[in-house]
Amino acid sequence: MTTSYRQADWKEPLIFEHSKPGRMGHMLPELEPELVTEAQIGDLVPEELLRTEAAGLPEVGEMQVLRHYVRLSQMNYGVNAGKIYPLGSCTMKYNPIINELMAGHPKMAGQHPLQSPATTQGTLKMLYNLKKHFLNITGMDDATLQPAAGAHGEWTGIMLMREYHRERGELDQRTEIVVPDSAHGTNPASAHMAGFKTVEIPSNEHGMVDLEALKAAVGPQTAGLMLTNPNTIGVFESEITEISKIIHDAGGLMYYDGANLNAIMGWCRPGDMGFDIIHSNLHKTFSTPHGGGGPGAGPVGVKAFLADYLPVPDIIEEDGVYKLDYNKPKSMGKVHGFHGNVGVSLRAYTYMYTMGGSGLKESSELAVLNANYISRQLVDAKGYELTFDPEKPRKHEAVVSAGPMLNDTGVSALYISKMLLDYGMHAPTTYFPLIVPEALMIEPTESEPVEALDEFIAALKEINDIAYSDPEKVLGAPYNTAVSKINEARAAHPKTICLSWRKYCQLNLDKE
Ligand SMILES: *Cc1c(COP(=O)(O)O)cnc(C)c1O
């Protein structure tokens, strides 16, 4: 291994183990008894809510607290600390510091959503403009910023589809949503949550929607189709207008999973491809940080004929004044409080403004170039292959299969991903999409310079060579991370997962 990388050690004492009775990180003057009496506290806080004993927090000095949190942050992997974060479909791009300065600015962060709109005009204007830019980028007519994530946006979008069919009196008949087998797992889940049955159709030998299979699956029972384009293989569905026509002719609607717009910004728009409803993850394409479950923003855009069903409130402008509009009798209701995660929207808005229209277009161009730069060079390594039309350019991501390596050496994609951690690199998305065996889904984004791409390619090729010469070595990885290979099934199982420092369990740390 050419590079070594060592993360903070998890074996350091926990902050609770550092605790010494009476030690503290602050010095406050004694409370002056005449200022607050026990009786007054009792008046303010109901008796049953008062503690009878101390909270059991660790008693430590400020330095220990600081070191504790810095150490924890070093045990984690972050795009700001690691070398490359090529987690396909997730678009882990760099989040410029100015986004954080804007979102953390006291004049933005200190607002309360229940303030009168007269005092929040700047925020409302920002959200109003963000929506306009979003519509411009995606080619839709109206949108809501409420949904808090991609999956939440999908569910909202499918509920809008439901409202549409309901109003036409066809909801009882239109019970099915068609989803290709390359779809993100959230697609069938969202359709199901919204009360539809999903019908899966296979991809063809090019990794694209099979038109014959689509025609066979579609009929008067079809509520719509959910599609990602470019799809999760990284291939652009070039027959998209034909696909739209098949669905529309059958009376269904076209749903676009635009979680990731990184390949198309400024180049083409889902609204022009025939999609009626879309969502997009501001926390992917527009650079705001995500991972570990949130917070996110998954705005949903629609064509004009669906606008009446959008959630309330909408933000409207009259004579330069921004107002909340609840006057939407056909609205599906609310899907989140107020205007969704405004801090996430503000980061995305800042990103759009710092990049400008031409900058967004160029970032897509670079994201596509980077994905192809990596995938073209991996295919000469014995253990990797590009399934589905290897000659065809990919868009913002490329799915490389480690199938040949597994066959030849017994080293599967999982172990390649684990060993990459030893090089200080985050693993690609592994085992997704499901239609590629031993999938490594690589999305470098536009953030990375060519040197980082070269280093990543070199690491994957080196792991390839080690797998062929000394497979056991790869199977034992990772060696340099804070925690070595954990038992993933047990670590995620509610019966064995341990979230209390007292049990400080061996379970999670057990080797497989
Ligand atoms: C990330 C992603 C989603 C889900 O988005 P969340 O914000 O994680 O809910 C859906 N579809 C695709 C293609 C994605 O990449």
Side-chain angles (χ1 to χ4, degrees):
M1 219 170 297
T2 50
T3 325
S4 92
Y5 177 76
R6 181 124 192 93
Q7 283 179 306
D9 196 342
W10 65 271
K11 295 188 198 80
E12 277 285 308
L14 299 176
I15 192 157
F16 288 94
E17 294 165 335
H18 277 299
S19 183
K20 286 266 154 48
R23 183 175 286 169
M24 54 179 116
H26 58 80
M27 278 190 288
L28 293 178
E30 283 291 309
L31 200 60
E32 291 180 45
E34 63 273 18
L35 289 184
V36 186
T37 64
E38 291 282 332
Q40 281 171 322
I41 294 177
D43 286 346
L44 293 170
V45 186
E47 179 83 29
E48 68 273 18
L49 296 182
L50 290 174
R51 280 188 195 286
T52 51
E53 55 189 76
L57 298 173
E59 297 182 74
V60 286
E62 179 170 330
M63 176 76 116
Q64 287 167 306
V65 175
L66 188 66
R67 285 184 178 151
H68 170 74
Y69 283 107
V70 171
R71 187 174 65 79
L72 285 186
S73 75
Q74 288 173 340
M75 284 173 69
N76 217 334
Y77 194 94
V79 75
N80 294 358
K83 286 186 181 166
I84 185 171
Y85 208 142
L87 196 63
S89 207
C90 295
T91 319
M92 305 300 278
K93 63 170 73 170
Y94 172 60
N95 171 50
I97 300 297
I98 187 163
N99 297 0
E100 292 308 306
L101 293 178
M102 290 297 149
H105 194 289
K107 288 189 176 173
M108 299 304 292
Q111 292 177 77
H112 193 281
L114 287 175
Q115 270 175 243
S116 140
T119 65
T120 56
Q121 285 294 300
T123 300
L124 294 177
K125 181 176 180 181
M126 181 277 290
L127 294 169
Y128 181 88
N129 284 337
L130 175 65
K131 180 169 117 176
K132 262 200 338 214
H133 298 319
F134 178 68
L135 297 177
N136 212 345
I137 291 168
T138 57
M140 307 306 281
D141 299 321
D142 204 349
T144 173
L145 298 175
Q146 264 182 21
H152 193 192
E154 288 172 32
W155 175 81
T156 304
I158 299 299
M159 291 302 281
L160 293 170
M161 205 182 264
R162 224 183 142 75
E163 292 305 311
Y164 167 80
H165 290 307
R166 189 203 308 280
E167 200 179 1
R168 292 162 59 92
E170 295 185 354
L171 188 57
D172 290 345
Q173 160 202 338
R174 298 194 180 271
T175 53
E176 292 181 2
I177 302 249
V178 181
V179 183
D181 59 2
S182 61
H184 195 269
T186 49
N187 291 187
S190 303
H192 184 78
M193 292 281 290
F196 292 99
K197 261 204 322 249
T198 56
V199 178
E200 188 179 281
I201 49 162
S203 304
N204 63 19
E205 69 276 20
H206 309 292
M208 304 201 300
V209 170
D210 185 325
L211 290 190
E212 291 315 310
L214 178 66
K215 282 181 198 155
V218 164
Q221 76 288 3
T222 304
L225 171 81
M226 293 181 89
L227 193 67
T228 308
N229 193 22
N231 62 30
T232 59
I233 309 290
V235 171
F236 191 83
E237 299 276 356
S238 48
E239 294 175 308
I240 185 61
T241 46
E242 180 59 21
I243 294 170
S244 292
K245 188 167 177 334
I246 293 170
I247 296 297
H248 285 144
D249 285 352
L253 296 183
M254 290 283 290
Y255 184 92
Y256 183 79
D257 176 347
N260 184 332
L261 297 176
N262 227 33
I264 66 162
M265 275 188 297
W267 295 90
C268 62
R269 311 190 305 170
D272 302 331
M273 299 176 204
F275 287 96
D276 306 298
I277 311 172
I278 68 157
H279 86 271
S280 176
N281 288 9
L282 297 185
H283 51 286
K284 287 181 181 169
T285 312
F286 300 100
S287 88
T288 75
H290 59 285
V300 170
V302 295
K303 287 288 174 63
F305 71 97
L306 296 166
D308 286 348
Y309 309 119
L310 285 171
V312 283
D314 194 11
I315 299 170
I316 52 171
E317 188 248 5
E318 277 169 13
D319 303 327
V321 178
Y322 296 88
K323 299 180 176 167
L324 303 187
D325 179 15
Y326 282 90
N327 185 21
K328 277 180 175 269
K330 289 188 196 165
S331 166
M332 67 178 281
K334 275 171 177 277
V335 299
H336 191 286
F338 309 102
H339 309 290
N341 284 327
V342 171
V344 176
S345 294
L346 180 53
R347 289 178 176 90
Y349 179 81
T350 307
Y351 182 72
M352 286 179 187
Y353 270 84
T354 49
M355 298 291 279
S358 59
L360 292 179
K361 188 170 180 187
E362 193 182 340
S363 83
S364 280
E365 193 172 17
L366 287 175
V368 171
L369 179 66
N370 283 356
N372 285 283
Y373 182 83
I374 291 178
S375 57
R376 297 306 322 158
Q377 295 189 62
L378 286 179
V379 288
D380 0 302
K382 210 158 141 193
Y384 302 117
E385 84 177 302
L386 254 181
T387 41
F388 299 113
D389 289 355
E391 293 311 317
K392 198 177 187 133
R394 294 324 200 229
K395 296 298 172 195
H396 58 297
E397 62 197 2
V399 182
V400 172
S401 167
M405 192 185 301
L406 178 62
N407 260 344
D408 299 344
T409 71
V411 171
S412 64
L414 172 73
Y415 295 94
I416 300 168
S417 287
K418 295 290 182 198
M419 195 167 221
L420 273 172
L421 304 177
D422 283 335
Y423 290 81
M425 298 172 187
H426 198 281
T429 297
T430 308
Y431 297 122
F432 175 75
L434 305 175
I435 56 174
V436 174
E438 300 302 314
L440 294 167
M441 185 191 215
I442 300 167
E443 180 185 4
T445 82
E446 75 283 3
S447 306
E448 298 297 341
V450 67
E451 293 80 6
L453 307 183
D454 286 338
E455 216 179 321
F456 180 66
I457 294 162
L460 278 170
K461 286 189 169 176
E462 193 168 78
I463 294 170
N464 177 75
D465 295 345
I466 301 170
Y468 280 88
S469 60
D470 183 6
E472 286 304 317
K473 187 161 178 197
V474 186
L475 296 176
Y479 300 98
N480 296 335
T481 47
V483 176
S484 60
K485 196 180 283 115
I486 54 170
N487 181 325
E488 295 188 5
R490 288 175 79 181
H493 194 284
K495 284 217 174 110
T496 50
I497 192 167
C498 173
L499 300 172
S500 161
W501 72 274
R502 283 186 190 83
K503 287 197 236 148
Y504 187 30
C505 38
Q506 295 308 311
L507 294 173
N508 285 337
L509 305 169
D510 271 358
K511 288 218 166 191
E512 273 171 316

